[in-house]
Amino acid sequence: MSDEPKATGKAGGGRTGLRRLIPTWRWVLGGSMIALVLGCGVLVAGYLLVSIPPANKAAAAQTNVYLYSDGSQIARDGEVNRENITLAQVPKSVQEAVLAAEDREFYQESAIDPKAMLRAGWNMVTGGGKQSGSTITQQYVKNYYLSQDQTLTRKAKEFFIALKLDNEVSKSDILEGYLNTSYFGRNAYGIQAAAQAYYGKDIDEISTSEGAYLAALVNSPNAYDTQAHPENRKRAVARWHYVLDGMVKKGWITRSERDGMKFPEPDRAKPSTGMSGQRGYLVEAVKNYLINNEIIDERRLAAGGFRITTTLDPKRQKAMREAVDDRLMSKLDKDRKVDKYVRAGGTSVDPKTGKIVAMYGGIDYTEQYVNNATRRDYQVGSTFKPFIFTSALANDSKTQDGRSITASTVYDGTNKREVVSDGNGTDYAPENEDDKSYGQIPVSQAMNKSVNSVFAQMGVDVGPKKVKRTAIDLGLPKETPNMPEDGSIALGVATASTTDMAEAYATLANHGKRGHYSLVEKATHGGEVIELPDRDVSEQVERSAADSTTAVLRKVVQGGTGTAAQSAGRPAAGKTGTAEEDKAAWFAGYTPELATVISVMGQNSETGVQKPLYGAAGVERVNGGGFPAEIWGDYTKAALEGEPVRDFDLKTDGDADIPGTAPPSDAPSAPPTEGDGTSEPPPTGPTTPPTDPGTPSIPPTGPPTDSPTLPTGGQVGGDTGGPGGGPGGESGGEVEGNNGWNGGNTTGQPASAARMREVREGDTGS
């Protein structure tokens, strides 16, 4: 037995295995201390090295240059509208409104808010969207000393300058500078210019309520101008409420004062005369395109210095303006009251490239500020009906008795025919034009004559959700107002713009293929080339469905309600439409080369209220087959002058008969008698209605046996699954839901009431 001692080692001996890879507490503590010292060193060095610079030249905004596609100039903007004032001139309540909107702890907090900065950065990294992490001090530094560029270098400078400024300048001076440099929209820099731009008075005359609206604008001037964008009014009012609620929370106003305030509608804008004619509309549309597609930040664009080449073709732009002037504006009489309400809008798209080549916004930007080509507050009427037919084909939909829906499928076109769903009545019985009944009628002829009872039933056969999905696939924005997932969608209660509709019809013209539509060809800022969205073309609707719709719409132009469009002298497809009470008339059509939508609208210039157009320009009613189709024909003829005549290349898979290909030789002298929607037949006498060459499917002889389930929006109305739908329980109400069958966001119209109306108000979707 050995006498040598055994090696036992010391307590806590050497680290072995994976333990050797785990740092000890000494290493962790030491590393943390080193990082802390280095971090403090960086902060100290940054604070010492970064000085407060002189005012940035960009604080006085530069000029943006807007060009046509050929390089010729549309307009320049960027004249600075700014009047600096002292903080004492700004009412205390207005100062507090701005603080409530942008930085409620301004007087108590540091110049920077690390938590807000980290939260904003996290949201951007995780896809939560852009969010400001800046205090008022940081925003002022960015506005006055630096630039709007989104770079790490600029953000670092902003951080250190804000800290230094907070130590060397009073909070009151910082707030004064902030109020004088912030952009409020309407080319107004500073709160004094904003007070004049929105309310026509100096800032010291602005009330608390008005000040809250001006404060709301700082967050998003483009979105919250209720005069330029009436469709965004709810968002603007919500932001105004947010500001006032913040003032109550801080104790700056009482709850009773806040409850007594009404939303202060701003005045109409008074644009620069340099934006007269069509120029202002085009510049506004381009700005919105850049901002809404997140190509250029709104404040950076307002700071100027951009050279923007648009997709707009000066030849086609001129052709559209002349067509509107010749066919419509020249016929208006200043002594005829209703003629003062007449507005027109139009958009033209190249289906192959997705480029918007022409746009008509109104008679003059300095007189009519709202762009009629991009506004979304007029019903599109029967121009929506082709989307229902396309959806039926794309989804292989069937009628209530199990027949496949094609152009030759026969429907019951009886006036006020009750729509049936799942074998049950719905109390929804839409009127046809002039209460006319058509009996058993093929879909193609129902499209020609714009028979509401047919397409109301077809919308339910397909399913409102599927119809809406197809409309979006074709090109209507998801956020299109009044596009409900219930039966009313079939009659065109949606309020899309002419630009939205032109893009959707361009998809039909391009055989169901769609990509990103563009209004800007190129944008530069000094040596920087701005990145633009890719086209990314893909098939959104199968070709046979799109081409079959085109085949049906060819017949509308050849012998239906759109014969006035034959003046283009080319193969064309299109659809007429008239909004409820004759407040708007539409023609949406296309050739293989161009998709163009024209709308004539009625609006009181003083009140902004939509007005009926009965008697306008000396005609009994303004309908889609009249002025809009005539404008479309003249424009298309001029826009394509010198280009070879091309016919449609259609592959319908038997879902529609391809009509004759010979282009018309003469334009009709008057629109046809078969009105669209609420349109009255012209006084020139009837024309022979078209006949459908296809063999109709056998109409049903008994009650439906196999029907689709009604969507959750309710039989006659109600939000999808939402409360307040009336007595209908889970399906959203039978009559008085928020999305009624007969009118989008209005109360549904029971069949009994529809039959008893003594005065016909017109159909919502015609």
Side-chain angles (χ1 to χ4, degrees), residues 308-522:
I308 301 162
T309 303
T310 72
T311 60
L312 297 164
D313 182 331
K315 170 192 169 185
R316 290 171 173 173
Q317 187 66 35
K318 179 174 180 286
M320 184 170 285
R321 174 177 52 80
E322 290 180 347
V324 174
D325 289 345
D326 293 346
R327 286 290 188 172
L328 177 63
M329 297 304 171
S330 64
K331 296 177 172 59
L332 302 182
D333 187 340
K334 63 181 181 180
D335 295 326
R336 189 185 294 122
K337 182 179 179 180
V338 67
D339 284 6
K340 297 177 183 178
Y341 302 149
V342 175
R343 306 283 180 271
T347 306
S348 186
V349 174
D350 182 332
K352 296 299 182 185
T353 65
K355 295 177 181 179
I356 297 173
V357 297
M359 180 178 287
Y360 183 91
I363 58 169
D364 191 311
Y365 188 66
T366 61
E367 297 180 28
Q368 295 176 8
Y369 182 58
V370 178
N371 190 337
N372 295 322
T374 58
R375 65 189 304 167
R376 291 174 178 158
D377 55 346
Y378 281 85
Q379 293 178 350
V380 301
S382 287
T383 56
F384 196 90
K385 286 186 170 86
F387 305 159
I388 305 168
F389 181 62
T390 304
S391 188
L393 299 178
N395 290 289
D396 296 321
S397 300
K398 299 182 183 299
T399 62
Q400 296 282 297
D401 60 335
R403 292 172 294 126
S404 294
I405 299 175
T406 67
S408 58
T409 302
V410 172
Y411 270 86
D412 185 350
T414 301
N415 183 50
K416 298 180 183 178
R417 174 192 177 276
E418 184 177 21
V419 172
V420 176
S421 178
D422 199 21
N424 299 312
T426 61
D427 271 347
Y428 175 41
E431 300 173 358
N432 292 331
E433 162 67 11
D434 290 333
D435 289 327
K436 185 173 182 178
S437 289
Y438 294 89
Q440 304 300 322
I441 183 172
V443 168
S444 59
Q445 287 193 26
M447 187 75 79
N448 284 2
K449 302 172 185 292
S450 208
V451 182
N452 291 328
S453 57
V454 169
F455 287 93
Q457 182 63 61
M458 189 186 298
V460 172
D461 293 347
V462 177
K465 288 185 178 180
K466 292 179 180 178
V467 170
K468 181 176 181 178
R469 181 69 260 168
T470 299
I472 293 171
D473 289 342
L474 287 171
L476 291 196
K478 294 179 181 179
E479 65 273 14
T480 299
N482 301 317
M483 191 162 65
E485 293 181 348
D486 63 31
S488 67
I489 193 174
L491 297 186
V493 297
T495 55
S497 68
T498 64
T499 302
D500 299 333
M501 295 297 285
E503 292 176 357
Y505 272 71
T507 305
L508 293 175
N510 200 31
H511 313 292
K513 294 181 179 180
R514 177 173 67 84
H516 183 89
Y517 289 92
S518 60
L519 189 53
V520 174
E521 188 78 50
K522 182 180 180 181

Side-chain angles (χ1 to χ4, degrees), residues 7 30 94 113 157 203 209 222 318 324 373 384 427 597 647 654 664 713 725:
V94 177
D113 185 350
K157 288 182 178 179
I203 188 62
S209 178
N222 182 66
K318 179 174 180 286
V324 174
F384 196 90
D427 271 347
V597 176
D647 194 18

Side-chain angles (χ1 to χ4, degrees), residues 54-63 78 80 82 141-149 181 183 189 299-306 525:
N56 187 356
K57 292 181 180 179
Q62 304 174 61
T63 297
V80 178
R82 187 200 311 274
V141 168
K142 181 176 64 175
N143 290 343
Y144 192 64
Y145 295 107
L146 300 174
S147 70
Q148 302 293 328
D149 294 337
T181 57
Y183 180 63
Y189 293 85
R299 285 174 173 78
R300 190 182 180 205
L301 184 63
F306 290 91
H525 188 271

Side-chain angles (χ1 to χ4, degrees), residues 16 41 182 496 528 654 710:
T16 61
S182 293
E528 177 189 7
L710 187 69

